[in-house]
């Protein structure tokens, strides 16, 4: 929520402020002023005193309104609150506006206008009746976007009018808010996957401490440790109380790779292949986090999110929500890259022991498919969704080149599937689980089935 005090009814003293107020004359005010000047000139030429008085009245009335409105001293405080600040594509957010009269004088008629991007809908306008001293008024409006991104809201504008409608002045607040529209996510079923290493089924694996006298890995004693775990040889060696490590649970890892190369996708818009890939990556991230995995988002540019913690993965369960928000914010603004290949992502994965690898590829050639095949060697399991952007434009069948790339990836150990136009990720996810190998018949992917 943002709050801003002001603006005052007077926006500066001197000629500059007065000329700005004169520029606020409405059509009615300008007409009265012009009619008054014309009547005064005619009265002078014709020698008609009564007509001169009428002309002066017509000319002075809008000027008086300008002066009164220019010298108005009441102050207004405004605030804006988004509920929520992060929404999915196609969902609505509500914007709450609060105006408070913090001066000792009541206001006149107030007109509020908030600036919103055209993608979020029409510009909201409100008319507020007289606000008493110390009083407040609250209004709200809804925004909705079919495009992901980050959209600024504000500044809020306040229009002041005199009772006769002769003059209208606009005061602007300085505060802005940002609405983040993230990709739409799809709930995915827990399924089995071929090639997954043991222990990944429930999102956890265990690292056993060596408990032998020669290979023990001790640590410093902490308050509350069982004294039966004290390792006396290490205690004598280091000069402080040492205990054996217990079996430590570790979160299984999952890397979601998103191909963002501009040359890998054709078309644009909410129904394009690229937007499907972005939405698919978001769905996979949320699904794996819900299953207890330590997850990161990786793009073809080599950028990994969240980037902190253990080798760039989201750390403990306590920061899963924060990590998920960070990755979703990244997907909200992700755009096409200028890269020609996925070599940078391959370099990030060269450390091995990457756990699960879920990739969303656009059009890839033989060279990039070979590079992806080498990525498989550094992960416990790998599944790829290949989008033929040409078929997404024409609505036709998947091209033969895509089938060849599928065969190439499958021979390298990938669970690879083609994504036809408008396909549901949940169905493809279930289909990938059915392509398991005999060697991993008892393991699960993303949960137990």
């Amino acid at each position: 929520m943002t709050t801003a005090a002001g603006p005052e009814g007077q926006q500066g003293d001197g000629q500059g402020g007065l000329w700005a107020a004169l520029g606020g004359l409405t059509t009615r005010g300008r007409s009265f002023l012009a009619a008054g000047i014309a009547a005064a000139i005619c009265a002078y030429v014709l020698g008609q005193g009564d007509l001169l008085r009428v002309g002066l009245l017509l000319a002075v009335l809008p000027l008086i309104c300008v002066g009164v409105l220019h010298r108005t001293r009441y102050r207004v405080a405004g605030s804006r609150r988004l509920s929520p600040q992060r929404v999915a594509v196609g969902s609505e957010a509500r914007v709450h506006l609060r105006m408070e009269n913090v001066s000792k004088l009541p206001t006149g008629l107030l007109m509020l206008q908030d600036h919103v991007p055209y993608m979020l809908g029409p510009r909201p306008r409100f008319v507020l009746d007289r606000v008493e001293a110390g009083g407040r008024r609250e209004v709200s409006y809804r925004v909705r976007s079919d495009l992901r991104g980050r959209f600024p809201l504000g500044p809020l504008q306040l229009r002041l009018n005199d009772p006769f409608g002769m003059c209208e002045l606009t005061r602007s607040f300085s505060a802005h808010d940002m609405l983040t529209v993230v990709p739409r996510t799809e709930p995915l079923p827990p399924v089995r996957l071929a090639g997954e290493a043991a222990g990944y089924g429930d999102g956890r694996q265990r690292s056993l401490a060596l408990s032998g006298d020669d290979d023990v890995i001790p640590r410093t004693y902490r308050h509350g440790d069982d004294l039966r775990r004290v390792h006396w040889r290490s205690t004598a060696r280091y000069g402080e109380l040492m205990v054996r490590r217990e079996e430590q649970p570790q979160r299984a890892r999952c890397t979601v790779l998103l191909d963002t190369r501009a040359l890998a996708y054709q078309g644009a818009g909410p129904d394009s292949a690229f937007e499907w890939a972005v939405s698919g990556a978001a769905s996979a991230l949320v699904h794996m986090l819900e299953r207890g995995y330590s997850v990161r988002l990786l793009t073809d540019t080599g950028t990994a999110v969240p980037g902190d913690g253990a080798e760039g993965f989201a750390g403990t369960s306590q920061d899963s929500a924060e990590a998920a928000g960070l990755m979703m914010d990244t997907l909200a603004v992700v755009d096409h890259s200028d890269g020609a290949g996925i070599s940078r992502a391959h370099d990030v994965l060269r450390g091995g022991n990457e756990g699960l690898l879920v990739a969303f590829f656009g059009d890839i050639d033989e060279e990039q498919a070979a590079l992806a095949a080498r990525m498989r060697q550094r992960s416990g399991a790998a599944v790829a969704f290949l989008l033929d952007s040409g078929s997404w434009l024409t609505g036709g069948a998947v091209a033969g080149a895509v089938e060849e790339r599928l065969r190439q990836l499958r021979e390298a150990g990938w669970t690879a599937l083609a994504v036809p136009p408008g396909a549901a990720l949940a169905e493809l996810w279930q289909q990938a689980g059915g392509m398991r190998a005999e060697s991993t018949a008892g393991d699960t992917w993303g949960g137990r089935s």
Side-chain angles (χ1 to χ4, degrees), residues 140-190:
S140 64
Y141 63 93
R142 294 177 295 180
V143 290
R144 177 182 180 275
S145 175
D146 291 328
L147 299 174
R148 56 184 176 81
R150 301 187 72 219
F151 304 100
L153 300 178
L156 183 65
Q157 286 188 338
L158 181 65
R159 292 186 179 181
L160 311 176
N161 288 73
D162 67 279
F164 300 102
M166 298 288 181
C167 184
E168 178 181 280
L169 299 182
T170 301
R171 311 295 192 215
S172 294
F173 293 85
S174 59
H176 291 74
D177 282 281
M178 195 68 66
L179 176 67
T180 303
V181 182
V182 300
R184 183 185 293 109
T185 59
E186 184 177 350
L188 304 178

Side-chain angles (χ1 to χ4, degrees), residues 353-376:
N353 191 26
E354 298 295 335
L356 298 176
L357 176 59
V358 182
F360 294 84
F361 292 118
D363 300 329
I364 57 175
D365 54 22
E366 184 178 357
E367 179 183 355
Q368 302 308 315
L371 199 59
R374 292 197 293 272
M375 291 181 183
R376 169 64 183 88

Side-chain angles (χ1 to χ4, degrees), residues 362-366 369 386-388 397-409 418:
D363 300 329
I364 57 175
D365 54 22
E366 184 178 357
L386 269 67
L387 291 92
D388 178 15
V398 176
V402 176
E403 297 293 344
E404 177 62 25
R405 302 296 169 258
L406 290 173
R407 183 193 60 79
Q408 189 175 354
L409 292 178

Side-chain angles (χ1 to χ4, degrees), residues 75-336:
R75 299 182 69 249
V76 177
S79 65
R80 182 190 299 103
R81 178 171 58 87
L82 301 182
S83 178
Q85 291 186 330
R86 183 188 294 118
V87 296
V89 168
S91 300
E92 289 185 343
R94 184 170 288 275
V95 183
H96 301 269
L97 302 177
R98 172 184 290 184
M99 304 300 299
E100 183 176 0
N101 183 9
V102 297
S103 67
K104 297 180 180 180
L105 297 175
T107 71
L109 188 68
L110 301 179
M111 291 187 292
L112 299 181
Q113 176 177 277
D114 206 7
H115 285 263
V116 300
Y118 71 93
M119 293 81 72
L120 299 182
R123 182 170 297 178
R125 294 181 174 89
F126 305 94
V127 177
L128 301 182
D129 294 332
R130 176 180 178 273
V131 182
E132 65 279 5
R136 65 181 60 179
R137 299 290 187 271
E138 294 186 6
V139 293
S140 64
Y141 63 93
R142 294 177 295 180
V143 290
R144 177 182 180 275
S145 175
D146 291 328
L147 299 174
R148 56 184 176 81
R150 301 187 72 219
F151 304 100
L153 300 178
L156 183 65
Q157 286 188 338
L158 181 65
R159 292 186 179 181
L160 311 176
N161 288 73
D162 67 279
F164 300 102
M166 298 288 181
C167 184
E168 178 181 280
L169 299 182
T170 301
R171 311 295 192 215
S172 294
F173 293 85
S174 59
H176 291 74
D177 282 281
M178 195 68 66
L179 176 67
T180 303
V181 182
V182 300
R184 183 185 293 109
T185 59
E186 184 177 350
L188 304 178
V191 295
R192 301 173 184 270
L193 178 67
E196 187 175 36
Y200 284 82
D202 57 356
R204 301 200 179 267
Q205 58 183 356
R206 293 188 176 272
S207 173
L208 297 176
L210 300 176
S211 57
D213 289 341
D214 297 330
D215 298 329
V216 68
I217 304 177
R219 64 167 174 82
T220 306
Y221 174 84
R222 299 171 186 168
H223 179 72
D225 284 340
D226 190 348
L227 292 177
R228 291 174 296 182
R229 292 173 44 225
V230 173
H231 190 262
W232 297 108
R233 180 176 297 180
S234 298
T235 299
R237 179 180 179 182
Y238 294 104
E240 58 180 328
L241 203 58
M242 306 292 290
V243 297
R244 291 187 177 91
R245 293 180 184 270
E246 290 183 335
E247 188 180 16
Q248 299 294 330
Q250 295 180 351
R251 291 163 62 87
R253 295 177 173 182
C254 176
T255 298
V256 177
L257 172 60
L258 175 62
D259 181 9
T260 64
R261 296 171 299 137
L263 55 82
Y265 299 94
Q266 302 179 41
D271 298 326
S272 64
F274 179 68
E275 293 300 323
W276 190 98
V278 173
S279 178
S283 301
L285 288 170
V286 172
H287 176 75
M288 302 311 292
L289 282 172
E290 290 175 349
R291 294 301 182 268
Y293 278 69
S294 183
V295 181
R296 70 174 171 182
L297 171 67
L298 178 65
T299 66
D300 59 287
T301 62
T303 303
V305 180
D308 296 326
E311 299 181 11
F313 287 84
T316 62
S317 57
Q318 286 77 9
D319 61 8
S320 291
E322 181 180 352
L326 179 59
M327 289 184 284
M328 294 299 287
D329 289 347
T330 302
L331 289 176
V333 297
V334 70
D335 202 354
H336 291 294

